[in-house]
Amino acid sequence: MTFFKSLFSATAIAATFIAASASAQTYPERSITMVVPFAAGGPTDTVARLVAESMSKDLGQQVLVENVGGAGGTLGAGRVASSEPDGYTILLHHIGMATSASLYRKLAYDPLNAFDYVGLVTDVPMTIVARKDFEPTDLKGLVDYVKANKDTVTVANAGIGAASHLCGMLFMSQIETPLVTVPYKGTGPAMTDLLGGQVDIMCDQTTNTTKQIQGGTIKAYAVTSADRLPVLPDVPTAAEGGLNDFQVGIWHGVYTPKGTPAEAIEKLNASLKKALKDENVVARFAELGTAPSPDSDVTSAALKAKLEGEIARWKPVIEAAGQYAD
Ligand code: MLT
């Protein structure tokens, strides 16, 4: 009897292995959900939808963006961390994956152990912007104004852990002045209030602010890149405006839940690489002040190394600012 039992279990294991390897070879067999951990209409959503559209064409299956906003991107990241590691739920997230490791004392996931890594996507500069009728006319004037009106000036962000939160935190640290912050589920909805004058200033990515700045519907004081941006030639760098140690780039990556089959990750990586060479993606990224990551960065190893390095880099900065979320 034992012989037949062991024969049966060996057959069952072999059948499971064959089925798994077969499905991995035919992956993807159905649509893939790309979770964006912020509200629709913001910079992360903009990057994701451009990449997802191109990957859909390449993979022959829909890559559907699902916005899961809240808690500075940690709700959406947590959703993916606890999803089935089958390659059908993936995450596009940014620097917040690193900063939330230090900002949140109780994260539902370990950023370094809950995910597998597909690759880096793009590194987006930020802009310090305000509602268009805000009084100050340049960055120095803005700093003087917010220092003199610290209890009334409002700063929009996408919650603790968001890129806009990080940039705002650096701004407040640099000017040694805490300001009133207004959190949103993403800087898409925050932009609506900035345009409507319900909130005063925001530090947000060019993928969300370039068109508004070019259209004159918001005021721009600085870009956080080392040099001025071709799409915003009249906007000085933060260094030109007197904020010297203020270079912030918002890198983005694609992740899957830990344990995703290697074949699925390889197919996602190959498709992501193609999407970042898609002429529409390249052109839209350029219009919005950014560019795709180079092939050498669109690898699992590069994303993993970036995340590890950025967690270590931002930990002391966040501890010095003393801003935490429970
Ligand atoms: C951020 O501040 O992290 C992003 O701008 C949020 C978003 O993409 O809406």
Side-chain angles (χ1 to χ4, degrees):
M1 192 56 180
T2 313
F3 169 76
F4 286 108
K5 259 188 175 177
S6 57
L7 179 65
F8 175 77
S9 60
T11 310
I13 289 166
T16 308
F17 175 77
I18 290 164
S21 56
S23 65
Q25 280 156 17
T26 57
Y27 170 86
E29 296 168 316
R30 53 188 164 81
S31 63
I32 295 165
T33 297
M34 176 185 277
V35 171
V36 167
F38 296 101
T44 314
D45 188 60
T46 297
V47 167
R49 288 180 190 276
L50 285 168
V51 168
E53 183 187 4
S54 183
M55 288 178 72
S56 300
K57 287 183 214 148
D58 172 63
L59 292 169
Q61 293 288 353
Q62 282 301 307
V63 178
L64 302 169
V65 169
E66 181 181 347
N67 301 90
V68 181
T74 58
L75 286 186
R79 163 85 74 80
V80 176
S82 58
S83 296
E84 190 61 38
D86 57 9
Y88 292 99
T89 304
I90 65 178
L91 171 70
L92 189 140
H93 197 3
H94 58 36
I95 194 170
M97 186 74 115
T99 57
S100 50
S102 302
L103 286 163
Y104 284 79
R105 290 197 170 111
K106 291 194 290 282
L107 264 187
Y109 56 90
D110 174 355
L112 287 176
N113 291 301
F115 300 95
D116 284 323
Y117 308 92
V118 177
L120 284 159
V121 177
T122 184
D123 193 337
V124 184
M126 299 201 88
T127 51
I128 300 173
V129 295
R131 56 184 166 81
K132 69 175 179 182
D133 55 355
F134 203 50
E135 207 175 296
T137 55
D138 61 15
L139 185 57
K140 190 183 176 322
L142 174 70
V143 171
D144 294 343
Y145 184 91
V146 297
K147 282 184 168 181
N149 300 277
K150 64 181 172 32
D151 297 329
T152 54
V153 170
T154 51
V155 185
N157 65 38
I160 294 179
S164 46
H165 164 262
L166 173 69
C167 190
M169 185 182 76
L170 292 175
F171 179 65
M172 290 182 238
S173 298
Q174 287 249 334
I175 67 174
E176 296 174 326
T177 306
L179 301 173
V180 177
T181 58
V182 182
Y184 294 79
K185 285 191 181 295
T187 49
M191 178 62 80
T192 302
D193 277 5
L194 194 72
L195 290 166
Q198 282 80 27
V199 68
D200 294 324
I201 59 177
M202 178 162 75
C203 185
D204 197 16
Q205 301 171 68
T206 56
T207 34
N208 195 33
T209 60
T210 298
K211 294 303 177 196
Q212 305 296 355
I213 294 167
Q214 290 172 337
T217 52
I218 59 174
K219 190 176 275 187
Y221 292 102
V223 292
T224 66
S225 41
D227 303 307
R228 294 195 182 199
L229 300 173
V231 289
L232 297 170
D234 302 329
V235 182
T237 64
E240 287 177 272
L243 288 181
N244 291 319
D245 189 18
F246 205 86
Q247 280 189 29
V248 187
I250 307 305
W251 54 273
H252 296 63
V254 174
Y255 304 82
T256 63
K258 188 79 174 177
T260 300
E263 297 82 358
I265 293 174
E266 283 157 20
K267 284 205 177 167
L268 287 166
N269 175 268
S271 190
L272 176 60
K273 277 197 175 96
K274 279 187 198 166
L276 295 178
K277 292 188 176 69
D278 179 323
E279 58 187 25
N280 178 52
V281 173
V282 174
R284 289 290 291 135
F285 275 20
E287 284 170 17
L288 297 173
T290 192
S293 296
D295 253 10
S296 56
D297 285 347
V298 192
T299 68
S300 300
L303 177 54
K304 185 171 190 283
K306 183 75 173 180
L307 179 60
E308 288 168 342
E310 288 282 277
I311 287 175
R313 173 192 176 199
W314 291 105
K315 189 171 187 300
V317 175
I318 288 163
E319 285 170 354
Q323 284 199 22
Y324 296 102
D326 291 321

